[in-house]
Coordinates of all heavy atoms in Angstrom, one line a residue:
M1 N -4.2 10.5 7.5 CA -3.8 9.3 8.2 C -3.2 9.5 9.6 O -3.1 10.6 10.0 CB -2.9 8.4 7.3 CG -3.5 7.8 6.1 SD -2.5 6.4 5.5 CE -3.3 5.1 6.4
K2 N -2.8 8.5 10.2 CA -2.2 8.5 11.5 C -0.7 9.0 11.5 O -0.1 9.1 10.4 CB -2.2 7.2 12.1 CG -3.6 6.7 12.4 CD -3.6 5.3 13.1 CE -5.0 4.8 13.4 NZ -4.9 3.5 14.0
T3 N -0.2 9.3 12.7 CA 1.2 9.6 12.8 C 2.0 8.3 12.9 O 1.6 7.3 13.4 CB 1.4 10.4 14.1 OG1 0.6 11.5 14.1 CG2 2.9 10.8 14.3
C4 N 3.2 8.3 12.4 CA 4.1 7.2 12.3 C 4.4 6.6 13.7 O 4.8 7.4 14.6 CB 5.4 7.6 11.7 SG 6.6 6.2 11.6
P5 N 4.2 5.3 13.9 CA 4.5 4.7 15.2 C 6.0 4.6 15.5 O 6.4 4.4 16.6 CB 3.8 3.3 15.1 CG 3.8 3.0 13.7 CD 3.7 4.3 13.0
W6 N 6.8 4.8 14.5 CA 8.3 4.6 14.7 C 8.9 5.9 15.1 O 9.6 6.0 16.1 CB 8.9 4.1 13.4 CG 8.3 2.8 13.0 CD1 7.4 2.6 12.0 CD2 8.4 1.5 13.6 NE1 7.1 1.3 11.9 CE2 7.7 0.6 12.9 CE3 9.2 1.1 14.7 CZ2 7.6 -0.7 13.3 CZ3 9.1 -0.3 15.1 CH2 8.3 -1.2 14.3
C7 N 8.7 7.0 14.3 CA 9.3 8.3 14.6 C 8.4 9.3 15.3 O 8.8 10.3 15.8 CB 9.9 8.9 13.3 SG 8.6 9.5 12.1
E8 N 7.1 9.0 15.3 CA 6.1 9.8 15.9 C 6.0 11.2 15.3 O 5.5 12.1 16.0 CB 6.3 9.8 17.4 CG 6.1 8.4 18.0 CD 6.3 8.4 19.5 OE1 6.7 9.4 20.1 OE2 6.0 7.4 20.1
E9 N 6.5 11.4 14.1 CA 6.5 12.7 13.5 C 5.9 12.7 12.1 O 5.2 13.6 11.8 CB 7.9 13.3 13.4 CG 8.6 13.6 14.7 CD 10.0 14.2 14.6 OE1 10.2 14.9 13.5 OE2 10.8 14.0 15.5
G10 N 6.2 11.7 11.4 CA 5.7 11.6 10.0 C 4.3 11.3 9.8 O 3.6 10.7 10.7
T11 N 3.8 11.6 8.6 CA 2.5 11.2 8.2 C 2.5 9.9 7.4 O 3.4 9.8 6.6 CB 1.8 12.3 7.4 OG1 1.8 13.5 8.1 CG2 0.4 12.0 6.9
L12 N 1.6 9.1 7.6 CA 1.6 7.8 6.9 C 0.7 7.8 5.6 O -0.3 8.5 5.6 CB 1.0 6.7 7.8 CG 1.8 6.5 9.1 CD1 1.1 5.5 10.0 CD2 3.2 6.1 8.9
S13 N 1.2 7.1 4.6 CA 0.4 7.0 3.4 C 0.4 5.6 2.9 O 1.3 4.8 3.2 CB 1.0 7.9 2.3 OG 2.3 7.6 2.0
S14 N -0.7 5.2 2.2 CA -0.8 3.8 1.7 C 0.0 3.7 0.4 O -0.2 4.6 -0.5 CB -2.3 3.5 1.4 OG -3.0 3.5 2.7
V15 N 0.8 2.7 0.3 CA 1.5 2.4 -0.9 C 1.5 0.9 -1.2 O 0.9 0.1 -0.4 CB 3.0 2.8 -0.8 CG1 3.1 4.4 -0.6 CG2 3.7 2.1 0.3
T16 N 2.1 0.4 -2.3 CA 2.3 -1.0 -2.5 C 3.8 -1.2 -2.6 O 4.5 -0.4 -3.0 CB 1.6 -1.6 -3.7 OG1 2.1 -0.9 -4.9 CG2 0.1 -1.4 -3.6
D17 N 4.3 -2.4 -2.1 CA 5.7 -2.7 -2.1 C 5.9 -4.2 -2.2 O 5.0 -5.0 -2.1 CB 6.3 -2.2 -0.8 CG 7.8 -2.1 -0.9 OD1 8.4 -1.7 -2.0 OD2 8.5 -2.4 0.1
T18 N 7.1 -4.6 -2.5 CA 7.5 -6.0 -2.5 C 8.0 -6.4 -1.1 O 8.8 -5.7 -0.5 CB 8.6 -6.2 -3.6 OG1 8.1 -5.8 -4.8 CG2 9.1 -7.6 -3.6
V19 N 7.5 -7.5 -0.7 CA 7.9 -8.0 0.6 C 8.4 -9.5 0.4 O 8.1 -10.1 -0.6 CB 6.8 -8.0 1.7 CG1 6.3 -6.6 2.0 CG2 5.6 -8.9 1.2
Y20 N 9.2 -9.9 1.4 CA 9.7 -11.3 1.4 C 9.2 -12.0 2.6 O 9.4 -11.5 3.7 CB 11.2 -11.3 1.3 CG 11.7 -10.6 0.0 CD1 11.9 -9.2 0.0 CD2 11.9 -11.3 -1.1 CE1 12.3 -8.6 -1.1 CE2 12.3 -10.6 -2.3 CZ 12.5 -9.3 -2.3 OH 12.9 -8.6 -3.4
W21 N 8.6 -13.2 2.4 CA 8.0 -13.9 3.5 C 8.5 -15.3 3.6 O 8.5 -16.0 2.6 CB 6.4 -13.9 3.3 CG 5.7 -13.5 4.6 CD1 5.3 -14.4 5.5 CD2 5.3 -12.2 5.0 NE1 4.6 -13.7 6.5 CE2 4.6 -12.3 6.2 CE3 5.4 -11.0 4.4 CZ2 4.1 -11.3 6.8 CZ3 4.9 -9.9 5.0 CH2 4.2 -10.0 6.3
E22 N 8.9 -15.7 4.8 CA 9.3 -17.1 5.0 C 8.0 -18.0 5.1 O 7.0 -17.6 5.7 CB 10.1 -17.2 6.3 CG 10.6 -18.6 6.5 CD 11.4 -18.7 7.8 OE1 11.8 -17.7 8.4 OE2 11.7 -19.8 8.2
L23 N 8.1 -19.1 4.4 CA 7.0 -20.0 4.4 C 6.8 -20.7 5.8 O 7.8 -20.8 6.5 CB 7.2 -21.2 3.4 CG 7.2 -20.7 1.9 CD1 7.4 -21.9 1.0 CD2 6.0 -19.9 1.5
P24 N 5.6 -21.1 6.2 CA 5.4 -21.6 7.5 C 6.3 -22.8 7.9 O 6.7 -23.0 9.0 CB 3.9 -22.0 7.5 CG 3.3 -21.2 6.5 CD 4.4 -21.0 5.4
D25 N 6.7 -23.6 6.9 CA 7.5 -24.7 7.2 C 9.0 -24.4 7.2 O 9.9 -25.2 7.5 CB 7.3 -25.9 6.1 CG 7.6 -25.5 4.7 OD1 8.2 -24.4 4.5 OD2 7.4 -26.3 3.8
G26 N 9.3 -23.1 6.9 CA 10.7 -22.6 7.0 C 11.6 -23.1 5.9 O 12.8 -22.8 6.0
T27 N 11.1 -23.7 4.9 CA 12.0 -24.2 3.8 C 12.5 -23.2 2.9 O 13.6 -23.3 2.3 CB 11.2 -25.3 2.9 OG1 10.0 -24.6 2.4 CG2 10.8 -26.5 3.8
R28 N 11.8 -22.0 2.7 CA 12.2 -21.0 1.8 C 11.4 -19.7 2.0 O 10.4 -19.8 2.8 CB 12.1 -21.4 0.3 CG 10.7 -21.7 -0.1 CD 10.7 -22.3 -1.5 NE 9.4 -22.7 -1.9 CZ 8.6 -21.9 -2.7 NH1 9.0 -20.8 -3.2 NH2 7.3 -22.4 -3.0
A29 N 11.8 -18.7 1.3 CA 11.0 -17.5 1.4 C 10.4 -17.2 0.0 O 10.9 -17.7 -1.0 CB 11.9 -16.3 1.8
V30 N 9.4 -16.4 0.0 CA 8.7 -16.1 -1.3 C 8.6 -14.6 -1.4 O 8.5 -13.9 -0.4 CB 7.3 -16.7 -1.3 CG1 6.4 -16.2 -0.3 CG2 6.7 -16.6 -2.7
E31 N 8.8 -14.1 -2.6 CA 8.7 -12.7 -2.9 C 7.2 -12.4 -3.2 O 6.6 -13.0 -4.1 CB 9.6 -12.3 -4.1 CG 9.5 -10.9 -4.5 CD 10.5 -10.6 -5.6 OE1 11.3 -11.4 -6.0 OE2 10.3 -9.5 -6.2
I32 N 6.6 -11.4 -2.5 CA 5.2 -11.1 -2.7 C 5.2 -9.6 -3.2 O 5.5 -8.7 -2.4 CB 4.4 -11.2 -1.5 CG1 4.6 -12.7 -0.9 CG2 2.9 -10.9 -1.7 CD1 4.0 -12.9 0.5
T33 N 4.8 -9.4 -4.4 CA 4.8 -8.1 -5.0 C 3.5 -7.4 -4.9 O 2.5 -8.1 -4.6 CB 5.2 -8.1 -6.5 OG1 4.2 -8.9 -7.2 CG2 6.6 -8.7 -6.7
E34 N 3.5 -6.1 -5.0 CA 2.2 -5.3 -4.9 C 1.5 -5.5 -3.6 O 0.3 -5.6 -3.6 CB 1.4 -5.6 -6.2 CG 2.1 -5.2 -7.5 CD 1.2 -5.5 -8.7 OE1 0.0 -5.5 -8.6 OE2 1.8 -5.8 -9.8
T35 N 2.2 -5.6 -2.5 CA 1.6 -5.8 -1.2 C 1.2 -4.5 -0.6 O 2.0 -3.6 -0.6 CB 2.7 -6.5 -0.3 OG1 3.1 -7.7 -0.9 CG2 2.1 -6.8 1.1
P36 N 0.0 -4.4 -0.1 CA -0.4 -3.2 0.5 C 0.5 -2.9 1.7 O 0.8 -3.7 2.5 CB -1.8 -3.5 1.0 CG -2.3 -4.6 0.2 CD -1.1 -5.4 -0.1
S37 N 1.0 -1.6 1.7 CA 2.0 -1.3 2.7 C 1.7 0.2 3.2 O 0.9 0.9 2.6 CB 3.4 -1.4 2.2 OG 3.7 -2.7 1.7
I38 N 2.4 0.6 4.2 CA 2.3 1.9 4.8 C 3.7 2.5 4.8 O 4.7 1.9 5.2 CB 1.7 1.8 6.2 CG1 0.4 1.1 6.2 CG2 1.6 3.2 6.8 CD1 -0.1 0.7 7.6
L39 N 3.8 3.8 4.4 CA 5.1 4.5 4.3 C 5.0 5.8 5.1 O 4.0 6.6 5.0 CB 5.4 4.8 2.8 CG 6.6 5.7 2.6 CD1 7.9 4.9 3.0 CD2 6.7 6.1 1.1
C40 N 6.0 6.0 5.9 CA 6.1 7.3 6.6 C 6.9 8.3 5.8 O 8.0 8.0 5.3 CB 6.9 7.1 7.9 SG 7.3 8.6 8.8
D41 N 6.4 9.5 5.6 CA 7.0 10.5 4.8 C 8.2 11.2 5.5 O 9.0 11.9 4.9 CB 6.0 11.6 4.4 CG 5.5 12.4 5.5 OD1 5.7 12.1 6.7 OD2 4.7 13.4 5.2
H42 N 8.4 10.9 6.8 CA 9.5 11.5 7.6 C 10.7 10.6 7.7 O 11.8 10.9 7.2 CB 9.0 12.0 8.9 CG 10.1 12.6 9.8 ND1 10.7 13.8 9.4 CD2 10.6 12.2 10.9 CE1 11.6 14.1 10.4 NE2 11.6 13.1 11.3
C43 N 10.4 9.4 8.3 CA 11.6 8.5 8.5 C 11.7 7.4 7.5 O 12.6 6.6 7.5 CB 11.4 7.8 9.9 SG 10.1 6.7 10.1
Q44 N 10.7 7.4 6.5 CA 10.7 6.4 5.4 C 10.5 5.0 5.9 O 10.8 4.0 5.1 CB 12.0 6.5 4.6 CG 12.2 7.9 4.0 CD 11.1 8.3 3.1 OE1 10.7 7.6 2.1 NE2 10.5 9.5 3.3
A45 N 10.0 4.8 7.1 CA 9.6 3.4 7.5 C 8.6 2.9 6.6 O 7.6 3.6 6.2 CB 9.1 3.5 9.0
L46 N 8.8 1.7 6.2 CA 7.8 1.0 5.3 C 7.4 -0.3 6.0 O 8.3 -1.1 6.3 CB 8.5 0.7 4.0 CG 7.7 0.1 2.9 CD1 6.6 1.0 2.4 CD2 8.5 -0.3 1.7
F47 N 6.1 -0.5 6.2 CA 5.6 -1.7 6.9 C 4.2 -2.0 6.5 O 3.6 -1.3 5.7 CB 5.7 -1.4 8.4 CG 5.0 -0.2 8.9 CD1 3.7 -0.3 9.4 CD2 5.6 1.0 8.9 CE1 3.0 0.8 9.9 CE2 4.9 2.2 9.3 CZ 3.6 2.1 9.8
Q48 N 3.8 -3.2 6.9 CA 2.4 -3.6 6.6 C 1.5 -3.6 7.8 O 2.0 -3.7 9.0 CB 2.5 -5.1 6.1 CG 3.1 -5.3 4.7 CD 4.6 -5.0 4.8 OE1 5.3 -5.5 5.6 NE2 5.1 -4.2 3.9
S49 N 0.3 -3.4 7.6 CA -0.7 -3.3 8.7 C -0.8 -4.7 9.3 O -0.5 -5.7 8.7 CB -2.1 -2.8 8.2 OG -2.6 -3.8 7.4
D50 N -1.3 -4.7 10.6 CA -1.5 -6.0 11.2 C -2.5 -6.9 10.4 O -2.3 -8.1 10.4 CB -2.1 -5.8 12.6 CG -1.0 -5.2 13.6 OD1 0.2 -5.2 13.3 OD2 -1.5 -4.7 14.6
E51 N -3.4 -6.3 9.8 CA -4.4 -7.0 9.0 C -3.8 -7.7 7.8 O -4.0 -8.8 7.5 CB -5.6 -6.1 8.6 CG -6.4 -5.6 9.7 CD -5.8 -4.4 10.5 OE1 -4.9 -3.7 9.9 OE2 -6.3 -4.1 11.6
T52 N -2.9 -6.9 7.1 CA -2.2 -7.5 5.9 C -1.3 -8.6 6.3 O -1.2 -9.6 5.7 CB -1.4 -6.4 5.2 OG1 -2.4 -5.4 4.8 CG2 -0.7 -6.9 4.0
V53 N -0.6 -8.4 7.4 CA 0.3 -9.5 7.9 C -0.5 -10.8 8.2 O -0.1 -11.9 7.8 CB 1.1 -9.0 9.2 CG1 1.8 -10.2 9.9 CG2 2.1 -7.9 8.8
K54 N -1.6 -10.6 8.9 CA -2.4 -11.8 9.2 C -3.0 -12.4 8.0 O -3.0 -13.7 7.9 CB -3.6 -11.4 10.1 CG -4.5 -12.5 10.5 CD -5.4 -12.2 11.7 CE -6.3 -13.3 12.1 NZ -5.9 -14.7 11.8
E55 N -3.4 -11.6 7.0 CA -3.9 -12.2 5.7 C -2.8 -13.1 5.0 O -3.1 -14.2 4.6 CB -4.3 -11.1 4.8 CG -5.7 -10.5 5.1 CD -6.1 -9.4 4.1 OE1 -5.2 -8.8 3.5 OE2 -7.3 -9.3 3.9
I56 N -1.6 -12.5 5.0 CA -0.5 -13.3 4.3 C -0.2 -14.5 5.1 O 0.0 -15.6 4.5 CB 0.8 -12.3 4.2 CG1 0.5 -11.2 3.2 CG2 2.0 -13.2 3.8 CD1 1.6 -10.1 3.2
E57 N 0.0 -14.4 6.4 CA 0.4 -15.6 7.2 C -0.7 -16.6 7.2 O -0.4 -17.8 7.0 CB 0.7 -15.1 8.6 CG 2.0 -14.3 8.7 CD 2.4 -13.9 10.0 OE1 1.6 -14.0 11.0 OE2 3.6 -13.4 10.2
D58 N -1.9 -16.2 7.3 CA -3.0 -17.2 7.2 C -3.0 -17.9 5.9 O -3.1 -19.1 5.8 CB -4.4 -16.6 7.5 CG -4.7 -16.3 8.9 OD1 -3.9 -16.8 9.8 OD2 -5.7 -15.6 9.2
Q59 N -2.9 -17.1 4.8 CA -3.0 -17.7 3.4 C -1.8 -18.7 3.2 O -2.0 -19.8 2.7 CB -3.0 -16.6 2.4 CG -3.3 -17.1 1.0 CD -4.7 -17.7 0.8 OE1 -5.5 -17.9 1.7 NE2 -5.0 -18.0 -0.5
L60 N -0.6 -18.3 3.6 CA 0.5 -19.2 3.4 C 0.4 -20.5 4.2 O 0.9 -21.5 3.9 CB 1.8 -18.5 3.8 CG 2.3 -17.4 2.8 CD1 3.5 -16.7 3.4 CD2 2.5 -17.9 1.5
F61 N -0.3 -20.4 5.4 CA -0.6 -21.6 6.2 C -1.6 -22.5 5.6 O -1.6 -23.7 5.8 CB -1.0 -21.1 7.6 CG -1.1 -22.2 8.6 CD1 0.0 -22.9 9.1 CD2 -2.4 -22.7 9.0 CE1 -0.2 -23.9 10.0 CE2 -2.5 -23.7 9.9 CZ -1.4 -24.3 10.4
L62 N -2.6 -21.9 4.8 CA -3.7 -22.6 4.3 C -3.6 -23.2 2.9 O -4.5 -23.9 2.5 CB -5.0 -21.8 4.5 CG -5.3 -21.4 5.9 CD1 -6.5 -20.3 5.9 CD2 -5.7 -22.6 6.7
I63 N -2.6 -22.7 2.2 CA -2.5 -23.2 0.8 C -1.4 -24.3 0.7 O -0.6 -24.5 1.6 CB -2.1 -22.0 -0.2 CG1 -0.8 -21.4 0.2 CG2 -3.3 -21.0 -0.2 CD1 -0.3 -20.4 -0.8
D64 N -1.4 -24.9 -0.5 CA -0.3 -25.9 -0.8 C 0.9 -25.1 -1.3 O 0.9 -24.7 -2.4 CB -0.7 -26.9 -1.8 CG 0.3 -27.9 -2.2 OD1 1.4 -27.8 -1.6 OD2 0.1 -28.7 -3.1
T65 N 1.8 -24.8 -0.4 CA 2.9 -23.9 -0.8 C 3.9 -24.5 -1.8 O 4.7 -23.8 -2.4 CB 3.8 -23.5 0.5 OG1 4.2 -24.6 1.1 CG2 2.9 -22.6 1.4
K66 N 3.7 -25.8 -2.1 CA 4.5 -26.4 -3.1 C 4.1 -25.9 -4.5 O 4.8 -25.9 -5.5 CB 4.4 -27.9 -3.1 CG 5.1 -28.5 -1.9 CD 5.0 -30.0 -1.8 CE 5.7 -30.6 -0.6 NZ 4.8 -30.7 0.5
Q67 N 2.9 -25.4 -4.6 CA 2.3 -24.8 -5.8 C 2.7 -23.3 -6.0 O 2.5 -22.7 -7.1 CB 0.8 -24.9 -5.8 CG 0.3 -26.3 -5.6 CD 0.7 -27.3 -6.7 OE1 0.7 -26.9 -7.9 NE2 1.2 -28.4 -6.3
L68 N 3.4 -22.8 -5.0 CA 3.8 -21.4 -5.0 C 5.2 -21.2 -5.6 O 6.1 -21.9 -5.1 CB 3.7 -20.9 -3.6 CG 3.8 -19.4 -3.3 CD1 2.7 -18.6 -4.0 CD2 3.8 -19.1 -1.8
G69 N 5.3 -20.3 -6.6 CA 6.6 -20.1 -7.2 C 7.5 -19.2 -6.2 O 7.1 -18.9 -5.1
K70 N 8.6 -18.7 -6.8 CA 9.5 -17.9 -6.0 C 8.9 -16.5 -5.8 O 9.3 -15.8 -4.9 CB 10.9 -17.8 -6.6 CG 11.6 -19.1 -6.6 CD 13.0 -18.9 -7.3 CE 13.8 -20.2 -7.3 NZ 15.1 -20.0 -8.0
Q71 N 8.0 -16.1 -6.7 CA 7.4 -14.8 -6.7 C 6.0 -14.9 -7.0 O 5.5 -15.7 -7.8 CB 8.1 -13.9 -7.7 CG 7.6 -12.5 -7.8 CD 8.2 -11.7 -9.0 OE1 8.0 -12.1 -10.1 NE2 8.9 -10.6 -8.7
T72 N 5.2 -14.0 -6.4 CA 3.7 -13.9 -6.6 C 3.2 -12.5 -6.3 O 3.8 -11.9 -5.5 CB 2.9 -15.0 -5.9 OG1 1.6 -15.0 -6.3 CG2 3.0 -14.8 -4.4
K73 N 2.2 -12.2 -6.9 CA 1.5 -10.9 -6.5 C 0.7 -11.2 -5.3 O 0.1 -12.2 -5.1 CB 0.6 -10.4 -7.7 CG 1.3 -9.9 -8.9 CD 0.3 -9.3 -9.9 CE 1.0 -8.8 -11.1 NZ 0.1 -8.4 -12.1
Y74 N 0.5 -10.2 -4.5 CA -0.3 -10.2 -3.3 C -1.7 -10.7 -3.6 O -2.2 -11.6 -3.0 CB -0.3 -8.9 -2.6 CG -1.2 -8.8 -1.4 CD1 -0.9 -9.3 -0.2 CD2 -2.5 -8.2 -1.5 CE1 -1.7 -9.2 0.9 CE2 -3.3 -8.0 -0.4 CZ -3.0 -8.6 0.8 OH -3.8 -8.5 1.8
E75 N -2.3 -10.1 -4.6 CA -3.7 -10.4 -5.0 C -3.8 -11.9 -5.5 O -4.7 -12.6 -5.1 CB -4.1 -9.5 -6.1 CG -5.6 -9.6 -6.5 CD -5.9 -8.5 -7.5 OE1 -5.8 -7.3 -7.2 OE2 -6.4 -8.9 -8.6
D76 N -2.8 -12.3 -6.2 CA -2.8 -13.7 -6.7 C -2.6 -14.7 -5.5 O -3.2 -15.8 -5.5 CB -1.7 -13.9 -7.7 CG -2.0 -13.2 -9.0 OD1 -3.1 -12.8 -9.3 OD2 -1.0 -13.0 -9.8
L77 N -1.8 -14.3 -4.6 CA -1.6 -15.2 -3.4 C -2.9 -15.4 -2.7 O -3.3 -16.5 -2.3 CB -0.6 -14.6 -2.4 CG -0.4 -15.3 -1.1 CD1 0.1 -16.7 -1.2 CD2 0.4 -14.4 -0.1
L78 N -3.7 -14.3 -2.5 CA -4.9 -14.4 -1.7 C -6.0 -15.2 -2.5 O -7.0 -15.7 -1.9 CB -5.5 -13.0 -1.4 CG -4.6 -12.2 -0.4 CD1 -5.3 -10.9 0.0 CD2 -4.2 -13.0 0.9
K79 N -5.9 -15.3 -3.8 CA -6.8 -16.0 -4.6 C -6.5 -17.5 -4.7 O -7.3 -18.3 -5.3 CB -6.8 -15.4 -6.1 CG -7.5 -14.1 -6.1 CD -7.4 -13.6 -7.6 CE -8.0 -12.2 -7.7 NZ -7.9 -11.7 -9.1
M80 N -5.3 -17.9 -4.3 CA -5.0 -19.4 -4.4 C -5.9 -20.2 -3.5 O -6.4 -19.8 -2.5 CB -3.5 -19.6 -3.9 CG -2.5 -19.0 -4.8 SD -0.8 -19.3 -4.3 CE -0.7 -21.1 -4.8
K81 N -6.2 -21.4 -4.1 CA -7.1 -22.3 -3.4 C -6.5 -22.8 -2.1 O -5.4 -23.2 -2.0 CB -7.3 -23.6 -4.3 CG -8.3 -24.6 -3.7 CD -8.4 -25.8 -4.6 CE -9.3 -26.8 -4.0 NZ -9.3 -28.1 -4.5
R82 N -7.4 -22.7 -1.1 CA -7.0 -23.1 0.3 C -7.3 -24.6 0.5 O -8.3 -25.2 0.0 CB -7.8 -22.3 1.3 CG -7.4 -20.9 1.3 CD -8.2 -20.1 2.3 NE -7.7 -18.8 2.5 CZ -8.1 -18.0 3.5 NH1 -8.9 -18.4 4.4 NH2 -7.5 -16.8 3.6
L83 N -6.5 -25.2 1.3 CA -6.7 -26.6 1.7 C -7.7 -26.7 2.8 O -8.4 -27.7 3.0 CB -5.4 -27.3 2.1 CG -4.3 -27.3 1.0 CD1 -3.0 -27.9 1.6 CD2 -4.7 -28.1 -0.2
L84 N -7.7 -25.7 3.6 CA -8.7 -25.6 4.7 C -9.5 -24.3 4.5 O -9.0 -23.3 3.9 CB -8.0 -25.5 6.1 CG -7.2 -26.8 6.5 CD1 -6.4 -26.5 7.7 CD2 -8.1 -28.0 6.7
K85 N -10.7 -24.2 5.1 CA -11.5 -23.0 5.0 C -10.9 -21.8 5.8 O -11.0 -20.6 5.4 CB -12.9 -23.2 5.4 CG -13.6 -24.1 4.5 CD -15.1 -24.3 5.0 CE -15.8 -25.3 4.0 NZ -17.2 -25.5 4.4
R86 N -10.3 -22.1 6.9 CA -9.7 -21.0 7.8 C -8.6 -21.6 8.6 O -8.5 -22.8 8.7 CB -10.8 -20.3 8.6 CG -11.4 -21.2 9.7 CD -12.4 -20.4 10.5 NE -12.9 -21.2 11.7 CZ -12.3 -21.1 12.9 NH1 -11.3 -20.3 13.1 NH2 -12.8 -21.8 13.9
N87 N -7.9 -20.8 9.3 CA -6.8 -21.2 10.1 C -7.4 -21.6 11.5 O -7.6 -20.8 12.4 CB -5.8 -20.1 10.3 CG -4.6 -20.5 11.1 OD1 -4.6 -21.6 11.7 ND2 -3.6 -19.7 11.2
Y88 N -7.6 -22.9 11.7 CA -8.2 -23.4 12.9 C -7.2 -23.4 14.1 O -7.6 -23.7 15.2 CB -8.7 -24.9 12.6 CG -9.8 -24.9 11.7 CD1 -9.6 -25.3 10.3 CD2 -11.1 -24.6 12.0 CE1 -10.6 -25.3 9.4 CE2 -12.2 -24.7 11.1 CZ -11.9 -25.0 9.8 OH -13.0 -25.0 8.9
F89 N -6.0 -23.1 13.8 CA -5.0 -23.0 14.9 C -4.8 -21.6 15.4 O -3.9 -21.4 16.2 CB -3.7 -23.6 14.4 CG -3.8 -25.0 13.9 CD1 -3.9 -25.3 12.5 CD2 -3.9 -26.1 14.8 CE1 -4.1 -26.6 12.1 CE2 -4.1 -27.4 14.4 CZ -4.2 -27.6 13.0
D90 N -5.5 -20.6 14.8 CA -5.4 -19.3 15.3 C -6.5 -19.0 16.4 O -7.6 -18.9 16.1 CB -5.6 -18.3 14.1 CG -5.5 -16.9 14.5 OD1 -5.2 -16.6 15.7 OD2 -5.7 -16.0 13.6
F91 N -6.0 -18.9 17.6 CA -6.9 -18.7 18.7 C -7.0 -17.2 19.1 O -7.6 -16.9 20.2 CB -6.5 -19.6 19.9 CG -6.5 -21.0 19.5 CD1 -5.3 -21.7 19.4 CD2 -7.7 -21.7 19.3 CE1 -5.2 -23.0 19.0 CE2 -7.6 -23.1 18.9 CZ -6.4 -23.7 18.8
S92 N -6.5 -16.3 18.3 CA -6.5 -14.9 18.7 C -7.9 -14.2 18.5 O -8.1 -13.2 19.0 CB -5.4 -14.2 17.9 OG -5.8 -14.2 16.5
E93 N -8.7 -14.9 17.8 CA -10.1 -14.3 17.5 C -11.1 -14.5 18.6 O -11.1 -15.4 19.3 CB -10.6 -14.7 16.2 CG -9.7 -14.3 15.1 CD -10.1 -14.9 13.7 OE1 -11.1 -15.6 13.6 OE2 -9.5 -14.5 12.7

């Protein structure tokens, strides 16, 4: 894998971890378990790829978050029914 962007020394490996994400409306945060993450073996930085961050943020924007409990698995979050087909407010593409 690549070199760590934080310490520029460590080697990165793929892991899963628990993350906490604020809902788009700012009312609360949700615990997302088994989230694909990246870990540096040198500085122990633990983070998510840009793609994973976008998937989570898009999905939280597109689902009925009132149906979401305090905790969910990453895979279950991505399987939740969307109210819209895609994020029509994302102009980055």
Side-chain angles (χ1 to χ4, degrees):
M1 287 201 91
K2 295 182 179 181
T3 303
C4 178
W6 305 105
C7 70
E8 298 181 349
E9 293 181 30
T11 302
L12 302 177
S13 58
S14 296
V15 297
T16 59
D17 195 39
T18 298
V19 298
Y20 299 87
W21 226 271
E22 184 176 349
L23 297 182
D25 63 6
T27 56
R28 63 187 174 100
V30 62
E31 180 179 347
I32 307 170
T33 61
E34 300 179 26
T35 304
S37 301
I38 301 167
L39 175 66
C40 172
D41 67 352
H42 180 64
C43 70
Q44 301 301 306
L46 182 67
F47 55 97
Q48 291 69 48
S49 69
D50 291 342
E51 295 81 16
T52 299
V53 169
K54 182 166 178 25
E55 284 180 331
I56 292 171
E57 290 181 350
D58 281 350
Q59 188 68 351
L60 289 175
F61 186 74
L62 296 172
I63 63 171
D64 179 4
T65 56
K66 292 180 180 89
Q67 305 300 316
L68 190 59
K70 293 180 180 181
Q71 180 188 60
T72 188
K73 288 183 183 179
Y74 173 80
E75 186 176 300
D76 293 341
L77 172 66
L78 295 185
K79 290 180 182 176
M80 291 184 74
K81 182 181 177 195
R82 292 179 170 193
L83 300 174
L84 298 171
K85 291 182 182 180
R86 67 180 189 92
N87 185 351
Y88 294 100
F89 302 101
D90 180 5
F91 302 107
S92 64
E93 297 175 358

